[in-house]
Amino acid sequence: MMLAKFFLLLAVVWTFEVNAAISSFLEEMIKMNPPMNIRISSGSFGEYTVSWDGNCTFQDNVYYQLDYKYLNPSDSKSYSYFVQEYQKKMDLELHRGLFTQVKLGYFGDTDDEISSNWTERTFDLPRDSFASVDNLTCIFYGNTYMNCTWDINENAPENEQYILSYRKEQTSDMYNCTNYRMSGARNTGCVGHKYDIDLSYEIIICISELNNKTKLPYCRKVKPYYFHKLNNPINVRINKSTDEVTWNLPEVNFGPSCYKYQLNITNWNDKEDQKVKNTSVAKYVISRDKTKRYSVQVRALVNDICLESTIWSDWSKPLIIAPDVKDISFLTIAAVFAVILVVLTLLLVLICIKCKLVSKVFQPIPDAGETFKGLFEECNGDFQKWINKNP
């Protein structure tokens, strides 16, 4: 029994010594072989290869760690890769400038980090190394079509033409825009282009100069779902007994819990009384003064439960809500009928009175022939003759 314990202890000591020796060897090998001479080379649209020199025999858990981030002060996000080779192909927005650092390290189950020193390099190419455009932005309308626009720099050649291409990240299949918007003779947008790649795939979109192949393309890495714009809601209606507004989306690509909505409620009797309300379901009970006129519009967005978007749909057509018509009671009807009857009676009285006054004012003209028959029958209207005959 004692002999077995002795051999067990010997095995533990031996294992510890061997592991210590291996650890010492790895630490010396790693620290003595930091990466050197970081460089970058361009490949297909937006693809670049970051490479370096090294002298390392790769083993389990021994990797090069490559970190990079863009030089934009407003974007400090850092990206990391672990590779067992001397290069890494990446899709980059190189026009933003790039800071890179590489180190060799043992990334195993040891508590102590074993790594070489970082080797760093910054790539900040002149702006005129890239296609002379800026502000490339795209909006995706489901898996149907996309619209992209860009600005042309002031120093861009007047006869230069621009083309848009895109591909899924880390693939080589390229797609080209089929329908351009032009300003003068130059393309400034890609509109109504059929887009049928799943929105969850990250893509890289590049603008290239057609006549200048020496310039690098101006590229952006885009998550299409982040710029996904829904069609505006339809069939907006209200139940006036409950004041519940409901609506529909023309296309539903996700579950009902994947959307959020906003309602723009406007009181037309007081234009300053305008409210925007949020809801996660396709219905909302509004609060209103039923004696006033309102309009309601709705817009939609994919929420962060599914594939979060940053672009709201357009507002729906306004739903006009007229003031409610009050029910007329029996007493009100009777009162109105009595008033009408009184008014009609007064009108009849006035008509009768008016007829008597007319008869008095416009008396019939007396017939002189009846009163003075001799004047007309015997003297033929000769007044002097009639006087002499009847002194």
Side-chain angles (χ1 to χ4, degrees):
M1 186 68 179
M2 293 295 296
L3 187 62
K5 290 183 177 180
F6 172 75
F7 279 113
L8 179 60
L9 179 62
L10 185 62
V12 170
V13 172
W14 181 82
T15 301
F16 177 79
E17 292 294 335
V18 169
N19 288 340
I22 293 174
S23 177
S24 178
F25 169 77
L26 282 174
E27 183 174 5
E28 182 178 359
M29 184 269 292
I30 289 171
K31 290 187 175 181
M32 294 298 292
N33 291 283
M36 304 293 291
N37 189 26
I38 300 175
R39 52 198 178 271
I40 192 168
S41 58
S42 61
S44 60
F45 289 95
E47 183 183 71
Y48 295 89
T49 300
V50 177
S51 58
W52 53 89
D53 296 331
N55 183 19
C56 172
T57 301
F58 294 109
Q59 303 178 29
D60 291 342
N61 300 322
V62 176
Y63 297 89
Y64 281 110
Q65 179 180 345
L66 166 63
D67 290 359
Y68 77 89
K69 63 180 179 179
Y70 294 109
L71 300 183
N72 302 56
S74 59
D75 183 4
S76 59
K77 184 177 180 180
S78 181
Y79 304 84
S80 295
Y81 293 99
F82 295 88
V83 296
Q84 287 190 320
E85 52 185 338
Y86 301 102
Q87 64 180 21
K88 175 62 180 175
K89 289 184 178 181
M90 299 180 293
D91 294 327
L92 298 171
E93 301 176 8
L94 192 58
H95 66 275
R96 297 167 59 185
L98 195 72
F99 169 78
T100 61
Q101 57 181 7
V102 185
K103 70 177 180 180
L104 180 64
Y106 175 80
F107 303 97
D109 53 3
T110 178
D111 294 333
D112 298 327
E113 179 180 330
I114 303 174
S115 65
S116 69
N117 293 328
W118 287 105
T119 300
E120 302 174 350
R121 185 168 179 183
T122 298
F123 300 95
D124 192 9
L125 279 66
R127 184 62 188 82
D128 59 7
S129 301
F130 302 88
S132 50
V133 298
D134 283 307
N135 301 325
L136 171 61
T137 57
C138 295
I139 298 177
F140 299 84
Y141 298 84
N143 294 106
T144 308
Y145 69 97
M146 72 177 187
N147 288 342
C148 297
T149 60
W150 56 87
D151 297 330
I152 299 176
N153 294 344
E154 295 180 355
N155 59 350
E158 293 185 1
N159 62 343
E160 188 55 77
Q161 190 56 277
Y162 304 91
I163 58 173
L164 179 144
S165 305
Y166 64 94
R167 58 179 174 81
K168 287 195 292 186
E169 187 182 25
Q170 296 180 352
T171 63
S172 58
D173 294 335
M174 297 294 302
Y175 303 87
N176 296 315
C177 177
T178 55
N179 187 37
Y180 287 98
R181 184 186 72 182
M182 302 185 70
S183 176
R186 299 189 292 191
N187 297 332
T188 57
C190 175
V191 296
H193 172 75
K194 179 176 174 56
Y195 184 85
D196 54 10
I197 300 176
D198 192 291
L199 296 177
S200 62
Y201 287 110
E202 189 169 18
I203 64 172
I204 185 159
I205 305 175
C206 299
I207 306 296
S208 304
E209 292 189 0
L210 188 61
N211 301 322
N212 193 340
K213 303 299 183 182
T214 62
K215 285 192 174 183
L216 295 171
Y218 177 97
C219 300
R220 282 198 61 192
K221 290 175 68 176
V222 173
K223 297 177 180 178
Y225 65 81
Y226 202 62
F227 302 98
H228 176 209
K229 185 174 182 179
L230 296 170
N231 291 321
N232 57 278
I234 58 174
N235 300 330
V236 183
R237 50 197 177 274
I238 185 171
N239 183 336
K240 283 197 171 184
S241 63
T242 61
D243 285 340
E244 182 180 72
V245 178
T246 59
W247 57 88
N248 302 112
L249 288 176
E251 295 181 9
V252 180
N253 298 321
F254 305 98
S257 62
C258 291
Y259 301 97
K260 61 182 178 181
Y261 306 94
Q262 282 188 341
L263 290 87
N264 183 16
I265 307 167
T266 304
N267 178 353
W268 283 82
N269 295 84
D270 182 4
K271 289 296 186 67
E272 294 184 358
D273 184 10
Q274 187 174 20
K275 301 173 182 177
V276 175
K277 300 294 184 179
N278 296 296
T279 180
S280 59
V281 292
K283 59 183 179 180
Y284 188 84
V285 177
I286 66 171
S287 176
R288 66 184 178 102
D289 182 343
K290 296 189 177 184
T291 65
K292 297 180 179 179
R293 183 170 177 260
Y294 288 81
S295 67
V296 177
Q297 292 177 285
V298 186
R299 63 180 183 177
L301 181 76
V302 179
N303 61 29
D304 56 0
I305 297 176
C306 301
L307 297 176
E308 182 183 14
S309 176
T310 58
I311 302 176
W312 285 96
S313 73
D314 295 330
W315 288 105
S316 66
K317 293 181 179 180
L319 168 69
I320 305 301
I321 307 173
D324 291 0
V325 178
K326 294 183 178 179
D327 294 335
I328 301 176
S329 65
F330 174 77
L331 292 176
T332 302
I333 295 174
V336 171
F337 181 77
V339 170
I340 293 174
L341 185 60
V342 170
V343 170
L344 289 176
T345 303
L346 290 174
L347 285 174
L348 287 172
V349 171
L350 288 174
I351 290 172
C352 293
I353 294 173
K354 183 178 179 181
C355 288
K356 290 182 179 181
L357 288 174
V358 169
S359 63
K360 289 182 178 180
V361 173
F362 298 99
Q363 293 290 333
I365 299 173
D367 187 357
E370 291 292 328
T371 305
F372 304 98
K373 291 184 178 181
L375 175 62
F376 294 96
E377 292 179 359
E378 299 176 3
C379 302
N380 294 325
D382 187 340
F383 187 76
Q384 187 62 45
K385 183 178 179 180
W386 181 71
I387 289 295
N388 292 334
K389 187 176 179 180
N390 301 286

